[in-house]
Amino acid sequence: MSFLQPLFLAGLLAAAIPIAIHLINRRKATRQEFPALRLLMESNKKEARSVKVRQWLLLGLRVLVIAALALALAKPYFLSDEGVTASERLPTAVVFVVDDSASMQHAGWWENTVEQFDEQLGKLRPWDEATLITASTIDGPVTRFTSDHGEIREAFSDLQATDASADLSQAVVAAGDLLSSSQLPSKRIVVISDFARGGFPDSPTPEAKIPYDVRQVSVRDDAESVPENLGITAVDYEQEHSGQGGSWKITATVRNFGPEDQKGVELRLNVDGEDIGGGLVDVPARKTSTHTFRHRFEGAGVREAYVELVNDDPLEIDNRYYFAVDLKERIRVLLVNGEPSSVAYSDELYFAVRALNPGTTSQSAIIPEMTTPEGLAGRDLNDFDVVVLANVATVSQPNAGKLEQFVDGGGGLLVTMGDQIDATSWNQTMEGLLPKPLRGLKRLAERDDPDAPVKITRLGTGNRDHPIFRIFDLPGGSSLQSVKVYSYMLLEPTQQTETREILAYKDNAPALIERKVGDGRVVMLTTTVDREWTDLPVRTAFLPLMRRSVQYLARRATSAGKDRPVVGERLTLDVSGLVDERAIIHGPEDSRLVLEPTDGTVGFAPEHVGFYEVWADSDEAQGDADNPRNRLDALSFAANVDSDESKLDPLGQNALDPWTKPDEGKGGEAAQAAIPTNERRVNVWPPILFAITMMLLLETLLGARRSVLAKVWRRITFQKDPKVEV
Amino acid sequence: MTETLRQQYLDPAVLDELGTMQVRARMLVEGILAGLHRSPHHGGSVEFAEYVEYSPGHEIRHIDWKVYAKTDKYYVKQYEDETNLRAYMVVDGSGSMRFKSEEAPISKLDYASYLSAAFAHLLLRQGDAVGALSFNADQRQFLPASARKNHLDDIFYLLDNQPAAGKTGLDHALRTIAERANRRSVVFIVSDFLDADGEAMQLLKVLRHRRLDVAAFHVVDPAEITLPYEGMMLFEGMEGEGELLVDVDDLRDAYTERMREHMAFVKQQCEQADIEYLRFPTTQPIEQTCLTFLRGRI
């Protein structure tokens, strides 16, 4: 604060005058003899406290009045760049940018947004024009400048914090574009936001910087502190082996966005509205932790599930992560027959097909389909979960590439040996898939050799931990060890990190060996699936071994590689061949969206977190809920909040500086001094004078004799003076 | 000097106003003056009635020297023919009675003295015996009751030489009068009753029990009721209570309320003791006060 007439501050000494007068007055009291002094003293005891308070109050007021008068005469003022700088006196175009992203659902922040918006809108003069855009949509709700501020207020009243993510910097740039269209001489952007780190995912480019006055209005109660926040950033699920009733591994990833370690955070899994179970996890500050649930889904179709954090952090939207699981009903197997035969049980796949699908009356979930090595090229492997190459002599390079892509994408490949196999060719074309290179046939005995029992080998015990062999723990599973093997394919003893032996012969040569390729697996049986090299097909262990192998290899339902739709981000669904005229999307909060496909796809941005069902042409709203063919389970999905919205770290007071152009023409200090500033002088003495007036009025009331005041009051209210009776 | 005193205390206008008024005892009075008072005793024989301890004012010829020889104390014989109405003027001569505000013509003490003198004159004129007691806490001047004509001068002298200082000591005065006054006496107490506490009021009741006819004259200065001062005042007690510095406006209401309570207390105590109570300001004409009292007695 500065003073125009600082000399008058010496007048502050005059504030001592009332004190002096007070002291002198005490000495100047009129002396009077009085007979009833005892009664007077008794009355004084009763009144003493209030009298003393009033006396001190009066003295204080008088001192204050004189001090304030001296201060007012010194004409205090301060410089301010608020309110009516030269540019701000001109009509101003204002763009309000309101952050309505998910992070604004933090407890209390939206209420603060409402207050701040009212305050900022109230500062506009009638001739100012304004628009209102939001960070989540940018193109609304009011994109033209209007001087009807009531319209802006009404448009704002319909807003609330959404589930969507928002790039605030883009919104500011869009506001700059809007301002460039305004004809008014003064322009300003007012950004009302939490200014969280997650709202600025990108760095500014020089051309994106805007040349306007940008004002930052924070809705945080404490602009500096980092709020505690936990969020579930991902849920991964994986079928441990395919088929109905299989076990699923569901892994939730929890991130601690806050500065303090969190211990014993409770997570709960919910499937189809039913609470399945929970667990506790410790999450260090700024780190992630995972927790794995195991669950068996019953039946087929889409399951809607979510993992939820049971805690009371102030941002709730990231405490729940939705995911949809599509349970397959059938496993489709493409069997490539390398040695077909018109004699049924001489056919390479006679026993295998019957093991996988015992008959038309069976309820088997495995649907085998046969083809030849030549027919393999014309097949779309995406229609199948498992491919079986049984005694196929060679695999062409294109087919090998096709198979490799199929396995890499999660498909399963079962390779069985036989006398047709060309080991050299296989080693060349199928190098990327074979668990180990083939060395050559090892013939132990012929079937009709009388010494065969001593020459042959038998199967050993399987790896009990492997899903294929878990079933052999059951009674009767020991029949596997009685299988006779006359011949088998020897493998090169190479070390493959992705390869493991599942089953060996008694002579320790590998019988069943597995290799993981991408998301899929390859299992190789080094003997045949017909009776040429072994009597395995006629043993009781064959059927479970084949079925378990295929189920194990089948394409697993997994979250890996799947899109993770985020609220507010555009999503494209491929509906080619599924939808004739329109796709209907049912979302959370009873939302229903009808879309017409373009080039076999429909695109839209989910607005809320939760589950979305896609229906073809007609939907349950039209009474077709009983027709499951209309519901496209494979396209159903769950949308979640962008994890950027969980990052609540404050960016501070200068968050928007990188997005604005620095003022041009700024030179050294001398140049700075030469530039006329926008600061204006704000005089403080008028309010001080007003305060003096008020204090004097109060002093008059307090200082006036009660008898006088009572008399005045009686005059005002037309009362008669009371008569004193003796 | 006596003439001067008479003129000072007996304003002719006052006495003219009271000239034809007769004081009548409320209760049965044994002795009356001839033609005015009815006596319950028949015959005019002078009979010994009782001994009374001598005090200045008694006739020396009435001292019983035989009793003096036996007891070493002076006792005076009282005879039946002296049982006319006896009245005692008990006047408060304390410091507070000296007070006179600007709106009052005379001080409370002057007012009390004039009033007492008027009653004494009236009573003596009709042949009743009048005594007087002037008191404060430290000293009490007592004149026994006498019907002698020149006794009025003694009373005037006593009234004129009151100390007008010191504390009140109403209780001591009442004890004194209780000891000295005969039964069937009328006691006029003229005071500002500022130190009238429970004990003093209890003594008033004792007087009443002793068959004394007591009348309390409460004299007040208007300023004591309205506290008409302004601004900072340093009040000084008139009976050594010390000083008090106050802004009068701050406690006027509280004081007047307290004063009203006190006056109500005195009045209530008197009424309970069946004592006639009369309160009047010093601005009220003395003859009006006398008439108010006497009319109540007729």
Side-chain angles (χ1 to χ4, degrees):
Chain A
M1 191 179 292
S2 310
F3 299 91
L4 287 180
Q5 306 284 353
L7 273 177
F8 278 102
L9 288 176
L12 286 171
L13 296 171
I17 291 172
I19 300 169
I21 290 173
H22 181 79
L23 295 170
I24 291 165
N25 263 353
R26 287 180 68 88
R27 286 201 295 269
K28 275 184 66 181
T30 311
R31 187 173 280 274
Q32 170 68 51
E33 282 192 325
F34 195 69
L37 193 73
R38 183 175 63 86
L39 301 182
L40 209 52
M41 283 173 164
E42 286 172 12
S43 312
N44 188 46
K45 267 182 203 167
K46 249 198 295 187
E47 295 290 314
R49 184 176 294 175
S50 68
V51 168
K52 201 165 276 188
V53 168
R54 203 161 66 94
Q55 290 292 345
W56 280 113
L57 206 60
L58 267 172
L59 184 63
L61 270 174
R62 287 163 185 166
V63 170
L64 260 177
V65 164
I66 291 178
L69 192 63
L71 205 63
L73 288 170
K75 295 194 172 176
Y77 69 91
F78 61 87
L79 296 174
S80 165
D81 56 359
E82 277 291 315
V84 278
T85 59
S87 62
E88 286 176 343
R89 270 195 285 272
L90 300 168
T92 308
V94 180
V95 182
F96 289 104
V97 179
V98 175
D99 184 353
D100 60 346
S101 62
S103 62
M104 297 288 280
Q105 292 186 26
H106 183 288
W109 287 2
W110 189 254
E111 289 77 3
N112 294 349
T113 304
V114 174
E115 282 176 25
Q116 294 282 14
F117 181 81
D118 275 350
E119 188 183 326
Q120 295 294 329
L121 192 67
K123 286 181 180 175
L124 297 186
R125 285 80 48 87
W127 54 85
D128 290 336
E129 293 184 349
T131 66
L132 169 64
I133 64 173
T134 61
S136 65
T137 54
I138 291 177
D139 54 349
V142 184
T143 50
R144 53 178 182 75
F145 284 100
T146 174
S147 54
D148 180 1
H149 302 161
E151 183 189 339
I152 302 282
R153 194 183 301 277
E154 198 173 333
F156 176 82
S157 67
D158 294 334
L159 295 181
Q160 57 182 2
T162 63
D163 295 354
S165 58
D167 184 344
L168 203 59
S169 52
Q170 281 187 12
V172 173
V173 171
D177 294 343
L178 269 173
L179 274 183
S180 62
S181 69
S182 170
Q183 301 299 312
L184 295 186
S186 176
K187 296 171 184 182
R188 188 162 68 238
I189 297 172
V190 177
V191 185
I192 303 173
S193 167
D194 53 7
F195 296 100
R197 192 166 300 282
F200 293 85
D202 305 318
S203 299
T205 56
E207 57 272 13
K209 294 193 174 189
I210 46 174
Y212 303 114
D213 173 22
V214 180
R215 296 206 180 161
Q216 195 174 311
V217 180
S218 175
V219 297
R220 290 170 185 259
D221 297 319
D222 180 358
E224 298 303 321
S225 68
V226 181
E228 289 296 337
N229 185 33
L230 286 166
I232 304 176
T233 53
V235 171
D236 297 295
Y237 54 86
E238 185 181 15
Q239 200 176 3
E240 297 205 275
H241 54 84
S242 63
Q244 290 183 50
S247 166
W248 291 67
K249 195 165 73 171
I250 297 162
T251 306
T253 305
V254 184
R255 185 170 185 83
N256 181 353
F257 294 93
E260 302 287 335
D261 293 355
Q262 300 286 342
K263 294 192 182 303
V265 178
E266 189 180 0
L267 287 164
R268 298 209 71 81
L269 171 66
N270 183 296
V271 177
D272 290 334
E274 190 182 336
D275 185 57
I276 301 302
L280 298 177
V281 64
D282 294 343
V283 197
R286 311 281 182 196
K287 295 278 192 302
T288 58
S289 295
T290 59
H291 179 77
T292 300
F293 299 91
R294 291 188 189 278
H295 179 61
R296 285 181 191 276
F297 290 103
E298 297 297 328
V302 175
R303 291 285 181 280
E304 294 178 347
Y306 61 80
V307 177
E308 189 171 32
L309 272 174
V310 184
N311 75 333
D312 54 354
D313 69 22
L315 185 64
E316 288 183 0
I317 191 163
D318 59 0
N319 291 354
R320 187 181 277 196
Y321 196 98
Y322 296 90
F323 61 101
V325 182
D326 185 10
L327 302 178
K328 280 202 167 56
E329 211 167 356
R330 308 272 167 144
I331 300 172
R332 296 194 299 167
V333 184
L334 180 65
L335 297 134
V336 183
N337 196 336
E339 195 180 11
S341 170
S342 53
V343 181
Y345 38 85
S346 298
D347 189 273
E348 186 73 25
L349 289 169
Y350 174 81
F351 295 101
V353 168
R354 276 151 187 78
L356 296 176
N357 195 353
T360 51
T361 57
S362 82
Q363 295 295 310
S364 171
I366 301 172
I367 303 166
E369 199 172 320
M370 297 262 262
T371 186
T372 59
E374 297 75 28
L376 179 63
R379 292 294 188 136
D380 181 1
L381 298 186
N382 286 329
D383 294 341
F384 297 96
D385 299 308
V386 181
V387 175
V388 180
L389 299 180
N391 197 10
V392 174
T394 58
V395 181
S396 66
Q397 197 67 49
N399 279 348
K402 197 170 164 180
L403 283 166
E404 210 165 315
Q405 193 179 353
F406 165 73
V407 176
D408 193 52
L413 176 64
L414 176 62
V415 179
T416 63
M417 297 291 112
D419 51 7
Q420 301 294 315
I421 297 283
D422 178 354
T424 311
S425 167
W426 268 80
N427 287 341
Q428 285 175 354
T429 58
M430 293 290 280
E431 187 189 6
L433 290 171
L434 281 176
K436 283 188 176 180
L438 310 180
R439 188 197 294 178
L441 174 66
K442 181 169 183 178
R443 194 177 297 280
L444 302 172
E446 295 294 339
R447 290 181 65 86
D448 50 1
D449 186 346
D451 297 330
V454 294
K455 291 180 179 175
I456 58 162
T457 186
R458 294 178 189 273
L459 288 174
T461 50
N463 180 351
R464 291 288 171 84
D465 295 334
H466 199 278
I468 292 176
F469 286 104
R470 274 185 207 150
I471 194 160
F472 296 106
D473 294 339
L474 300 171
S478 60
S479 66
L480 192 65
Q481 279 82 58
S482 61
V483 171
K484 298 172 184 169
V485 180
Y486 301 95
S487 302
Y488 59 83
M489 181 66 74
L490 281 168
L491 303 178
E492 295 287 356
T494 57
Q495 282 299 322
Q496 292 264 17
T497 52
E498 296 289 311
T499 297
R500 68 170 169 161
E501 196 177 276
I502 306 170
L503 180 68
Y505 300 114
K506 291 277 195 223
D507 59 8
N508 291 329
L512 201 62
I513 187 165
E514 174 192 20
R515 178 180 173 185
K516 198 170 184 320
V517 179
D519 290 335
R521 291 173 176 79
V522 180
V523 170
M524 182 162 72
L525 180 68
T526 55
T527 184
T528 57
V529 283
D530 66 358
R531 296 178 59 205
E532 270 188 43
W533 289 4
T534 174
D535 66 351
L536 173 65
V538 293
R539 294 288 178 179
T540 51
F542 180 69
L543 185 135
L545 179 66
M546 282 303 294
R547 292 184 67 85
R548 298 296 300 176
S549 299
V550 166
Q551 284 172 348
Y552 172 67
L553 284 169
R555 192 193 300 273
R556 289 164 174 71
T558 173
S559 57
K562 280 200 171 183
D563 288 338
R564 297 178 188 269
V566 168
V567 176
E569 281 188 12
R570 194 166 177 79
L571 182 72
T572 303
L573 299 175
D574 184 357
V575 293
S576 54
L578 301 171
V579 168
D580 294 331
E581 291 180 3
R582 55 195 187 134
I584 298 121
I585 293 155
H586 284 274
E589 301 186 22
D590 298 326
S591 65
R592 181 171 177 269
L593 193 65
V594 179
L595 301 167
E596 286 188 11
T598 309
D599 299 331
T601 61
V602 291
F604 79 107
E607 288 185 359
H608 301 288
V609 295
F611 301 107
Y612 289 81
E613 283 181 359
V614 184
W615 290 68
D617 300 313
S618 54
D619 63 333
E620 60 181 345
Q622 298 175 331
D624 288 332
D626 296 334
N627 186 356
R629 282 179 302 176
N630 289 333
R631 197 176 65 201
L632 307 175
D633 284 351
L635 295 180
S636 296
F637 65 93
N640 290 288
V641 69
D642 188 342
S643 59
D644 277 347
E645 289 299 315
S646 303
K647 299 171 186 167
L648 300 179
D649 301 34
L651 283 172
Q653 295 300 315
N654 305 316
L656 292 170
D657 284 2
W659 301 90
T660 54
K661 281 185 180 168
D663 294 337
E664 292 174 7
K666 285 188 178 176
E669 280 183 30
Q672 282 287 331
I675 298 169
T677 63
N678 277 340
E679 287 183 328
R680 68 185 180 96
R681 200 175 69 197
V682 179
N683 295 331
V684 182
W685 66 85
I688 293 178
L689 287 171
F690 174 75
I692 289 171
T693 312
M694 290 294 109
M695 286 192 284
L696 284 172
L697 183 66
L698 189 60
E699 194 273 345
T700 307
L701 287 172
L702 279 173
R705 308 222 163 279
R706 288 189 195 181
S707 54
V708 174
L709 288 175
K711 201 174 278 183
V712 169
W713 179 248
R714 284 196 296 270
R715 293 283 176 277
I716 292 169
T717 55
F718 302 104
Q719 293 176 36
K720 288 182 179 175
D721 289 346
K723 281 185 179 176
V724 179
E725 288 181 11
V726 176
Chain B
M1 179 204 163
T2 309
E3 192 55 38
T4 314
L5 292 173
R6 277 174 186 269
Q7 282 177 2
Q8 187 180 349
Y9 289 112
L10 300 177
D11 181 355
V14 174
L15 296 173
D16 195 45
E17 192 75 42
L18 299 173
T20 55
M21 299 294 288
Q22 307 295 322
V23 179
R24 300 189 184 271
R26 194 181 302 168
M27 298 158 53
L28 199 58
V29 178
E30 286 185 18
I32 54 168
L33 291 172
L36 278 175
H37 296 282
R38 289 172 299 163
S39 170
H41 306 282
H42 298 284
S45 60
V46 177
E47 290 179 25
F48 170 77
E50 60 183 343
Y51 282 107
V52 178
E53 195 174 353
Y54 172 82
S55 60
H58 280 130
E59 292 189 32
I60 296 171
R61 63 192 173 96
H62 288 158
I63 293 176
D64 189 329
W65 297 107
K66 289 177 182 174
V67 175
Y68 169 72
K70 290 175 185 173
T71 62
D72 243 3
K73 286 182 179 174
Y74 297 104
Y75 279 95
V76 177
K77 286 181 181 177
Q78 297 268 301
Y79 296 93
E80 286 295 345
D81 65 340
E82 291 179 295
T83 57
N84 291 334
L85 178 68
R86 287 167 189 273
Y88 290 95
M89 311 309 302
V90 181
V91 182
D92 183 352
S94 66
S96 64
M97 291 292 284
R98 201 175 66 237
F99 181 69
K100 170 190 166 300
S101 66
E102 287 180 8
E103 52 192 298
I106 51 176
S107 71
K108 291 191 284 184
L109 184 64
D110 288 347
Y111 197 100
S113 300
Y114 295 160
L115 187 68
S116 303
F119 279 130
H121 183 262
L122 269 172
L123 291 163
L124 278 167
R125 209 178 65 171
Q126 65 182 23
D128 290 328
V130 180
L133 170 66
S134 167
F135 68 91
N136 63 14
D138 306 319
Q139 53 179 306
R140 285 168 290 288
Q141 296 173 321
F142 181 70
L143 272 180
S146 170
R148 285 181 300 111
K149 288 290 178 206
N150 59 357
H151 188 60
L152 189 60
D153 295 334
D154 298 339
I155 291 171
F156 288 168
Y157 183 83
L158 182 142
L159 291 174
D160 205 31
N161 288 286
Q162 290 184 95
K167 292 190 178 338
T168 305
L170 180 61
D171 46 353
H172 295 300
L174 292 176
R175 277 195 199 95
T176 304
I177 206 72
E179 289 165 7
R180 305 285 180 94
N182 309 36
R183 294 170 120 203
R184 301 184 298 276
S185 297
V186 179
V187 180
F188 294 82
I189 301 169
V190 189
S191 169
D192 55 9
F193 289 101
L194 282 174
D195 74 334
D197 52 10
E199 191 186 349
M201 300 323 278
Q202 197 60 40
L203 283 165
L204 278 176
K205 290 177 186 175
V206 171
L207 291 181
R208 192 74 193 89
H209 283 305
R210 294 200 173 189
R211 311 292 302 274
L212 291 168
D213 186 3
V214 184
F217 291 87
H218 190 164
V219 55
V220 290
D221 189 291
E224 288 179 296
I225 295 172
T226 58
L227 202 68
Y229 309 103
E230 295 288 345
M232 293 299 290
M233 298 288 293
L234 182 64
F235 288 111
E236 198 177 344
M238 299 176 79
E239 296 180 6
E241 302 98 321
E243 293 178 341
L244 179 65
L245 177 74
V246 284
D247 187 329
V248 180
D249 237 40
D250 290 332
L251 55 95
R252 180 178 286 110
D253 293 345
Y255 167 78
T256 50
E257 180 59 31
R258 179 72 191 89
M259 189 68 186
R260 266 196 290 273
E261 280 172 14
H262 177 72
M263 293 189 304
F265 167 75
V266 175
K267 184 180 179 183
Q268 178 206 25
Q269 292 292 318
C270 290
E271 283 171 354
Q272 279 179 2
D274 194 22
I275 289 169
E276 186 160 358
Y277 173 82
L278 198 64
R279 185 172 61 235
F280 46 87
T282 53
T283 50
Q284 185 171 297
I286 297 170
E287 64 270 28
Q288 191 186 327
T289 308
C290 291
L291 286 169
T292 306
F293 172 73
L294 293 171
R295 279 181 190 133
R297 295 254 162 180
I298 291 169

